[in-house]
Every structure is written in C-alpha cells, then in structure tokens.
Coordinates of all heavy atoms in Angstrom, one line a residue:
M1 N -13.6 25.6 30.5 CA -13.3 25.1 29.1 C -11.8 25.3 28.9 O -11.4 26.0 28.0 CB -14.0 26.0 28.1 CG -15.5 25.7 28.0 SD -15.9 26.0 26.3 CE -17.6 25.7 26.4
P2 N -10.9 24.6 29.6 CA -9.5 24.7 29.4 C -9.0 24.0 28.1 O -7.9 24.2 27.6 CB -8.9 24.0 30.6 CG -9.9 23.1 31.1 CD -11.2 23.7 30.7
F3 N -9.8 23.1 27.5 CA -9.4 22.4 26.3 C -9.6 23.2 25.0 O -9.0 22.9 24.0 CB -10.2 21.1 26.1 CG -9.8 20.1 27.2 CD1 -10.7 19.8 28.2 CD2 -8.6 19.5 27.3 CE1 -10.4 18.9 29.2 CE2 -8.3 18.6 28.3 CZ -9.2 18.3 29.2
A4 N -10.5 24.2 25.0 CA -10.7 25.0 23.8 C -9.5 25.6 23.2 O -9.3 25.5 22.0 CB -11.8 26.0 24.1
P5 N -8.6 26.3 24.0 CA -7.4 26.9 23.4 C -6.5 25.8 22.8 O -5.9 26.0 21.8 CB -6.8 27.6 24.6 CG -7.9 27.9 25.5 CD -8.8 26.7 25.4
R6 N -6.4 24.7 23.5 CA -5.5 23.6 23.0 C -6.1 23.0 21.7 O -5.3 22.8 20.7 CB -5.5 22.5 24.0 CG -4.7 22.8 25.2 CD -4.6 21.6 26.1 NE -4.3 22.1 27.5 CZ -4.3 21.3 28.5 NH1 -4.7 20.0 28.4 NH2 -4.0 21.8 29.7
I7 N -7.3 22.8 21.6 CA -7.9 22.3 20.3 C -7.7 23.3 19.2 O -7.3 23.0 18.1 CB -9.4 22.0 20.5 CG1 -9.6 20.8 21.5 CG2 -10.1 21.7 19.2 CD1 -11.0 20.5 21.8
W8 N -7.9 24.6 19.5 CA -7.7 25.6 18.5 C -6.2 25.6 18.0 O -5.9 25.7 16.8 CB -8.1 27.0 19.1 CG -7.9 28.1 18.1 CD1 -6.9 29.1 18.2 CD2 -8.7 28.4 17.0 NE1 -7.0 29.9 17.1 CE2 -8.1 29.6 16.4 CE3 -9.7 27.8 16.4 CZ2 -8.6 30.1 15.2 CZ3 -10.2 28.4 15.2 CH2 -9.7 29.5 14.6
F9 N -5.3 25.5 19.0 CA -3.9 25.5 18.6 C -3.5 24.3 17.7 O -2.8 24.4 16.8 CB -3.1 25.4 19.9 CG -1.6 25.5 19.7 CD1 -1.0 26.7 19.3 CD2 -0.8 24.4 19.9 CE1 0.4 26.7 19.1 CE2 0.5 24.4 19.7 CZ 1.1 25.6 19.3
V10 N -4.1 23.1 18.1 CA -3.8 21.9 17.2 C -4.4 22.1 15.8 O -3.8 21.7 14.8 CB -4.4 20.7 17.9 CG1 -4.4 19.5 17.0 CG2 -3.6 20.4 19.2
L11 N -5.6 22.6 15.7 CA -6.2 22.8 14.4 C -5.4 23.8 13.6 O -5.2 23.6 12.4 CB -7.6 23.3 14.6 CG -8.6 22.3 15.0 CD1 -10.0 23.0 15.2 CD2 -8.8 21.2 14.0
V12 N -4.9 24.9 14.2 CA -4.1 25.8 13.5 C -2.8 25.2 13.0 O -2.3 25.4 11.9 CB -3.7 27.1 14.4 CG1 -2.7 27.9 13.7 CG2 -5.0 27.8 14.6
L13 N -2.2 24.3 13.8 CA -1.0 23.6 13.3 C -1.2 22.6 12.3 O -0.4 22.4 11.4 CB -0.3 22.9 14.5 CG 0.3 23.8 15.6 CD1 0.9 23.0 16.7 CD2 1.4 24.7 14.9
L14 N -2.4 21.9 12.3 CA -2.6 20.9 11.3 C -3.2 21.4 10.0 O -3.2 20.7 9.0 CB -3.6 19.8 11.9 CG -3.0 19.0 13.0 CD1 -4.1 18.0 13.5 CD2 -1.8 18.2 12.6
T15 N -3.7 22.6 9.9 CA -4.4 23.1 8.7 C -3.4 23.1 7.5 O -3.8 22.7 6.4 CB -4.9 24.5 9.0 OG1 -5.9 24.5 10.0 CG2 -5.5 25.1 7.7
P16 N -2.2 23.5 7.6 CA -1.3 23.4 6.4 C -1.1 22.0 5.9 O -1.0 21.8 4.7 CB 0.0 24.0 6.9 CG -0.3 24.8 8.1 CD -1.5 24.2 8.7
L17 N -1.1 21.0 6.8 CA -1.0 19.6 6.3 C -2.2 19.2 5.5 O -2.2 18.4 4.6 CB -0.8 18.7 7.5 CG 0.5 18.9 8.3 CD1 0.5 18.0 9.5 CD2 1.7 18.7 7.4
L18 N -3.4 19.6 6.0 CA -4.6 19.3 5.3 C -4.7 20.0 3.9 O -5.3 19.4 3.0 CB -5.8 19.6 6.2 CG -5.9 18.8 7.5 CD1 -7.1 19.4 8.3 CD2 -6.1 17.4 7.2
V19 N -4.2 21.1 3.8 CA -4.3 21.9 2.6 C -3.4 21.2 1.5 O -3.8 21.3 0.3 CB -3.9 23.4 2.8 CG1 -3.7 24.1 1.5 CG2 -4.9 24.0 3.7
Q20 N -2.4 20.6 1.9 CA -1.4 20.0 1.0 C -1.8 18.6 0.6 O -1.2 18.0 -0.3 CB 0.0 20.0 1.6 CG 0.6 21.4 1.8 CD 1.9 21.3 2.4 OE1 2.5 20.2 2.6 NE2 2.5 22.4 2.7
A21 N -2.9 18.1 1.2 CA -3.3 16.7 0.9 C -3.7 16.6 -0.6 O -4.4 17.4 -1.1 CB -4.4 16.3 1.8
A22 N -3.4 15.4 -1.2 CA -3.7 15.2 -2.6 C -4.0 13.7 -2.7 O -3.5 12.9 -1.9 CB -2.6 15.6 -3.5
P23 N -4.8 13.3 -3.7 CA -5.1 11.8 -3.8 C -3.8 11.1 -4.2 O -2.9 11.6 -4.9 CB -6.1 11.8 -4.9 CG -6.1 13.1 -5.6 CD -5.5 14.1 -4.6
A24 N -3.7 9.9 -3.8 CA -2.5 9.1 -4.1 C -2.6 8.6 -5.6 O -3.7 8.4 -6.1 CB -2.5 7.8 -3.2
P25 N -1.5 8.6 -6.3 CA -1.5 8.1 -7.7 C -1.8 6.7 -7.8 O -1.6 5.9 -6.8 CB 0.0 8.5 -8.1 CG 0.8 8.5 -6.9 CD -0.1 8.9 -5.8
W26 N -2.2 6.2 -8.9 CA -2.5 4.8 -9.2 C -1.3 4.2 -9.9 O -0.6 4.9 -10.7 CB -3.7 4.7 -10.1 CG -4.9 5.1 -9.4 CD1 -5.4 6.4 -9.1 CD2 -5.9 4.2 -8.8 NE1 -6.6 6.4 -8.5 CE2 -6.9 5.1 -8.2 CE3 -6.0 2.9 -8.7 CZ2 -8.0 4.5 -7.6 CZ3 -7.1 2.4 -8.1 CH2 -8.1 3.2 -7.5
Y27 N -1.0 2.9 -9.7 CA 0.1 2.2 -10.3 C -0.4 0.8 -10.8 O -1.3 0.3 -10.2 CB 1.2 1.9 -9.3 CG 1.9 3.2 -8.7 CD1 1.5 3.7 -7.5 CD2 2.9 3.8 -9.4 CE1 2.1 4.8 -7.0 CE2 3.5 4.9 -8.9 CZ 3.1 5.4 -7.7 OH 3.7 6.6 -7.2
Y28 N 0.3 0.3 -11.8 CA 0.1 -1.1 -12.1 C 1.1 -1.9 -11.3 O 2.3 -1.5 -11.1 CB 0.4 -1.4 -13.6 CG -0.8 -1.1 -14.5 CD1 -0.8 -0.1 -15.4 CD2 -1.9 -1.9 -14.4 CE1 -1.9 0.1 -16.2 CE2 -3.0 -1.7 -15.2 CZ -3.0 -0.7 -16.1 OH -4.1 -0.4 -16.9
W29 N 0.7 -3.0 -10.7 CA 1.5 -3.9 -9.9 C 1.5 -5.2 -10.6 O 0.5 -5.7 -11.0 CB 0.9 -4.0 -8.5 CG 0.9 -2.7 -7.8 CD1 -0.1 -1.8 -7.8 CD2 1.9 -2.1 -6.9 NE1 0.2 -0.7 -7.0 CE2 1.4 -0.8 -6.5 CE3 3.1 -2.5 -6.5 CZ2 2.2 0.0 -5.7 CZ3 3.9 -1.7 -5.7 CH2 3.4 -0.5 -5.3
R30 N 2.7 -5.8 -10.6 CA 2.9 -7.1 -11.3 C 3.2 -8.2 -10.2 O 4.1 -8.0 -9.4 CB 4.0 -7.1 -12.3 CG 4.2 -8.4 -13.0 CD 5.2 -8.4 -14.1 NE 5.0 -7.4 -15.1 CZ 4.1 -7.5 -16.1 NH1 3.5 -8.6 -16.3 NH2 4.0 -6.5 -17.0
S31 N 2.5 -9.3 -10.3 CA 2.8 -10.4 -9.4 C 4.1 -11.1 -9.7 O 4.4 -11.4 -10.9 CB 1.6 -11.5 -9.5 OG 2.0 -12.6 -8.8
L32 N 4.9 -11.4 -8.7 CA 6.1 -12.1 -8.9 C 5.9 -13.6 -9.1 O 6.8 -14.3 -9.5 CB 7.1 -11.8 -7.8 CG 7.5 -10.4 -7.5 CD1 8.3 -10.3 -6.3 CD2 8.2 -9.8 -8.7
V33 N 4.7 -14.1 -8.8 CA 4.4 -15.5 -8.9 C 4.0 -15.9 -10.3 O 4.5 -16.8 -11.0 CB 3.3 -15.9 -7.9 CG1 2.9 -17.3 -8.1 CG2 3.8 -15.6 -6.5
D34 N 2.9 -15.2 -10.9 CA 2.4 -15.6 -12.2 C 2.4 -14.4 -13.2 O 1.9 -14.6 -14.3 CB 1.0 -16.2 -12.0 CG 0.0 -15.2 -11.4 OD1 0.4 -14.1 -11.1 OD2 -1.1 -15.6 -11.2
G35 N 2.9 -13.2 -12.8 CA 2.9 -12.1 -13.8 C 1.6 -11.4 -14.0 O 1.6 -10.5 -14.9
Q36 N 0.6 -11.7 -13.3 CA -0.7 -10.9 -13.4 C -0.4 -9.5 -13.0 O 0.4 -9.1 -12.2 CB -1.8 -11.5 -12.5 CG -2.4 -12.7 -13.0 CD -3.6 -13.1 -12.2 OE1 -3.6 -12.9 -11.0 NE2 -4.7 -13.6 -12.8
R37 N -1.2 -8.6 -13.7 CA -1.1 -7.1 -13.3 C -2.4 -6.7 -12.8 O -3.5 -7.1 -13.2 CB -0.8 -6.3 -14.6 CG 0.6 -6.5 -15.1 CD 0.8 -5.7 -16.4 NE 0.8 -4.3 -16.1 CZ 0.9 -3.3 -17.0 NH1 0.9 -3.6 -18.2 NH2 1.0 -2.1 -16.6
V38 N -2.3 -5.8 -11.7 CA -3.5 -5.2 -11.2 C -3.2 -3.7 -11.0 O -2.1 -3.3 -10.9 CB -3.9 -5.8 -9.8 CG1 -4.3 -7.2 -9.9 CG2 -2.8 -5.6 -8.8
C39 N -4.3 -2.9 -11.0 CA -4.2 -1.5 -10.8 C -4.6 -1.1 -9.4 O -5.7 -1.5 -9.0 CB -5.1 -0.8 -11.8 SG -5.1 1.0 -11.6
A40 N -3.7 -0.5 -8.6 CA -4.1 -0.1 -7.2 C -3.2 1.1 -6.8 O -2.2 1.4 -7.4 CB -3.8 -1.3 -6.3
Q41 N -3.7 1.8 -5.8 CA -2.9 2.9 -5.3 C -1.8 2.5 -4.4 O -0.8 3.2 -4.3 CB -3.9 3.9 -4.5 CG -4.8 4.6 -5.4 CD -5.7 5.5 -4.7 OE1 -6.3 5.2 -3.7 NE2 -5.8 6.8 -5.1
T42 N -1.9 1.4 -3.7 CA -0.9 0.8 -2.9 C -0.6 -0.6 -3.2 O -1.4 -1.3 -3.9 CB -1.3 0.9 -1.4 OG1 -2.5 0.1 -1.2 CG2 -1.5 2.3 -0.9
S43 N 0.5 -1.1 -2.8 CA 0.9 -2.5 -3.1 C -0.2 -3.5 -2.6 O -0.6 -3.4 -1.5 CB 2.2 -2.8 -2.5 OG 2.5 -4.2 -2.6
P44 N -0.5 -4.5 -3.4 CA -1.5 -5.5 -2.9 C -0.9 -6.4 -1.8 O -1.6 -7.1 -1.2 CB -1.8 -6.3 -4.2 CG -1.3 -5.5 -5.3 CD -0.3 -4.6 -4.8
G45 N 0.4 -6.3 -1.6 CA 1.0 -7.1 -0.6 C 2.3 -7.7 -1.0 O 2.9 -7.3 -2.0
P46 N 2.9 -8.6 -0.2 CA 4.2 -9.2 -0.5 C 4.0 -10.0 -1.8 O 3.0 -10.6 -2.1 CB 4.5 -10.1 0.6 CG 3.4 -9.9 1.6 CD 2.4 -9.1 1.1
G47 N 5.1 -10.0 -2.6 CA 5.0 -10.8 -3.9 C 4.6 -9.9 -5.0 O 4.3 -10.5 -6.1
W48 N 4.4 -8.6 -4.9 CA 4.0 -7.7 -5.9 C 5.1 -6.7 -6.1 O 5.6 -6.2 -5.1 CB 2.7 -7.1 -5.6 CG 1.6 -8.1 -5.6 CD1 1.2 -8.8 -4.6 CD2 0.7 -8.4 -6.7 NE1 0.1 -9.6 -5.0 CE2 -0.2 -9.3 -6.3 CE3 0.6 -7.9 -8.0 CZ2 -1.2 -9.8 -7.1 CZ3 -0.4 -8.4 -8.8 CH2 -1.3 -9.4 -8.4
E49 N 5.4 -6.3 -7.4 CA 6.3 -5.2 -7.6 C 5.6 -4.1 -8.5 O 4.8 -4.5 -9.3 CB 7.6 -5.7 -8.3 CG 7.4 -6.2 -9.7 CD 8.7 -6.7 -10.3 OE1 9.7 -6.7 -9.6 OE2 8.7 -7.2 -11.4
Q50 N 6.0 -2.9 -8.3 CA 5.5 -1.8 -9.1 C 5.9 -2.0 -10.5 O 7.1 -2.2 -10.8 CB 6.0 -0.5 -8.5 CG 5.3 0.7 -9.1 CD 5.8 2.0 -8.5 OE1 6.1 2.0 -7.3 NE2 5.9 3.0 -9.2
D51 N 4.9 -1.8 -11.5 CA 5.2 -2.1 -12.9 C 4.9 -1.0 -13.8 O 4.9 -1.1 -15.0 CB 4.4 -3.4 -13.3 CG 4.8 -3.9 -14.6 OD1 6.0 -4.0 -14.9 OD2 3.9 -4.3 -15.4
S52 N 4.7 0.2 -13.3 CA 4.4 1.4 -14.1 C 4.7 2.7 -13.4 O 4.9 2.7 -12.2 CB 2.9 1.4 -14.6 OG 2.1 1.8 -13.5
A53 N 4.8 3.7 -14.2 CA 4.9 5.1 -13.7 C 3.5 5.4 -13.1 O 2.5 4.8 -13.4 CB 5.3 6.0 -14.8
P54 N 3.5 6.5 -12.2 CA 2.2 6.8 -11.6 C 1.2 7.4 -12.7 O 1.6 8.1 -13.6 CB 2.5 7.9 -10.6 CG 3.9 8.4 -11.0 CD 4.6 7.3 -11.7
H55 N -0.1 7.0 -12.5 CA -1.2 7.5 -13.3 C -1.9 8.5 -12.4 O -2.2 8.2 -11.3 CB -2.1 6.3 -13.7 CG -1.5 5.4 -14.6 ND1 -1.5 5.5 -16.0 CD2 -0.8 4.2 -14.4 CE1 -0.9 4.5 -16.5 NE2 -0.5 3.7 -15.6
E56 N -2.3 9.6 -13.0 CA -3.0 10.6 -12.2 C -4.5 10.4 -12.2 O -5.2 10.9 -11.4 CB -2.6 12.0 -12.8 CG -1.2 12.4 -12.5 CD -0.8 13.7 -13.1 OE1 -1.7 14.4 -13.6 OE2 0.3 14.1 -12.9
G57 N -5.0 9.7 -13.2 CA -6.4 9.4 -13.3 C -6.8 8.3 -12.4 O -6.0 7.4 -12.0
P58 N -8.1 8.1 -12.0 CA -8.5 7.0 -11.2 C -8.5 5.7 -12.0 O -8.7 5.7 -13.2 CB -9.9 7.4 -10.8 CG -10.4 8.3 -11.9 CD -9.2 9.0 -12.3
G59 N -8.1 4.6 -11.3 CA -8.1 3.3 -12.0 C -7.1 3.2 -13.1 O -7.4 2.5 -14.1
C60 N -5.9 3.8 -13.0 CA -4.9 3.7 -14.0 C -5.3 4.3 -15.4 O -4.7 3.9 -16.4 CB -4.4 2.3 -14.1 SG -3.6 1.7 -12.6
Q61 N -6.3 5.2 -15.4 CA -6.6 5.9 -16.6 C -5.7 7.1 -16.8 O -5.4 7.8 -15.8 CB -8.1 6.3 -16.5 CG -9.1 5.2 -16.4 CD -9.1 4.3 -17.6 OE1 -9.0 4.8 -18.7 NE2 -9.2 3.0 -17.4
P62 N -5.3 7.4 -18.0 CA -4.5 8.6 -18.2 C -5.3 9.8 -17.9 O -6.6 9.8 -18.1 CB -4.1 8.5 -19.6 CG -5.0 7.6 -20.3 CD -5.5 6.6 -19.2
R63 N -4.7 10.9 -17.5 CA -5.4 12.1 -17.3 C -5.9 12.6 -18.6 O -5.3 12.5 -19.7 CB -4.4 13.2 -16.8 CG -5.0 14.5 -16.6 CD -4.0 15.5 -16.0 NE -4.3 15.5 -14.6 CZ -3.7 16.4 -13.7 NH1 -2.9 17.2 -14.2 NH2 -4.0 16.3 -12.5
R64 N -7.1 13.1 -18.6 CA -7.8 13.6 -19.8 C -7.1 14.9 -20.3 O -6.7 15.7 -19.5 CB -9.2 14.0 -19.6 CG -10.1 12.8 -19.3 CD -11.5 13.2 -19.2 NE -12.3 12.0 -19.0 CZ -13.6 12.0 -18.8 NH1 -14.3 13.2 -18.9 NH2 -14.3 10.9 -18.6
K65 N -6.9 14.9 -21.6 CA -6.2 16.1 -22.2 C -7.3 17.1 -22.6 O -8.2 16.7 -23.3 CB -5.4 15.7 -23.4 CG -4.2 14.8 -22.9 CD -3.3 14.4 -24.1 CE -2.2 13.5 -23.5 NZ -1.4 13.0 -24.5
V66 N -7.1 18.3 -22.3 CA -8.1 19.3 -22.6 C -7.4 20.2 -23.6 O -6.3 20.8 -23.4 CB -8.5 20.2 -21.4 CG1 -9.4 21.3 -21.8 CG2 -9.1 19.2 -20.3
L67 N -8.0 20.4 -24.8 CA -7.5 21.2 -25.8 C -8.2 22.6 -25.7 O -9.5 22.6 -25.7 CB -7.8 20.6 -27.2 CG -7.1 19.2 -27.4 CD1 -7.5 18.7 -28.8 CD2 -5.6 19.4 -27.3
V68 N -7.5 23.6 -25.8 CA -8.0 25.0 -25.7 C -7.8 25.5 -27.1 O -6.7 25.7 -27.6 CB -7.3 25.8 -24.7 CG1 -7.9 27.3 -24.7 CG2 -7.5 25.2 -23.3
V69 N -8.9 25.8 -27.8 CA -8.8 26.4 -29.2 C -9.2 27.9 -29.1 O -10.3 28.2 -28.7 CB -9.8 25.6 -30.1 CG1 -9.7 26.2 -31.5 CG2 -9.5 24.2 -30.1
P70 N -8.2 28.7 -29.4 CA -8.5 30.2 -29.4 C -9.6 30.5 -30.4 O -9.7 30.0 -31.5 CB -7.2 30.8 -29.7 CG -6.4 29.8 -30.4 CD -6.9 28.5 -29.9
M71 N -10.4 31.5 -30.0 CA -11.5 32.0 -30.9 C -10.9 33.1 -31.8 O -10.0 33.8 -31.4 CB -12.7 32.5 -30.1 CG -13.4 31.4 -29.3 SD -14.8 32.0 -28.4 CE -15.8 32.6 -29.7
R72 N -11.4 33.1 -33.0 CA -11.0 34.2 -33.9 C -11.9 35.3 -33.9 O -13.0 35.4 -33.6 CB -10.9 33.7 -35.3 CG -9.8 32.6 -35.5 CD -9.7 32.3 -36.9 NE -8.4 31.7 -37.1 CZ -7.8 31.5 -38.2 NH1 -8.4 32.0 -39.3 NH2 -6.7 30.9 -38.4

C-alpha cells in the first residue's frame, strides 16, 4: 500500500481549501443586444455584462433580515 501515505498527504493539504469554500454570489446580467436581464451566478456568455452588486441569497433574492428583540 504505497499510495495510502500519498493520499493522506494530499487530503491534509486540500482540507483548508475545502473549509474555505462558499457558494458563489448571484448577479443580474444585462444583454448588450436587447437589454434583457437574467439572474445567474456566472456570466451567461459573450454579449452579457454584470448589472448589479452581488446578492447573497439564491436567485438574486436579498438576504433575509433577522430581527432580534431583547426580552424584558
């Protein structure tokens, strides 16, 4: 089993990268041809430009605001 130490070594090196992974933000993209807007995480392709700031919620929904009301 000479591969077991190598696999273990690779997993130890990649673990910090996996821990830092996060979902990609959503953006509105505007067509340069007809001005249509779509919501996507990545560019739909050539002919599209980013048209908004990043949205943290899925599908360009704003992040839900949670209100914390202290108890008396």
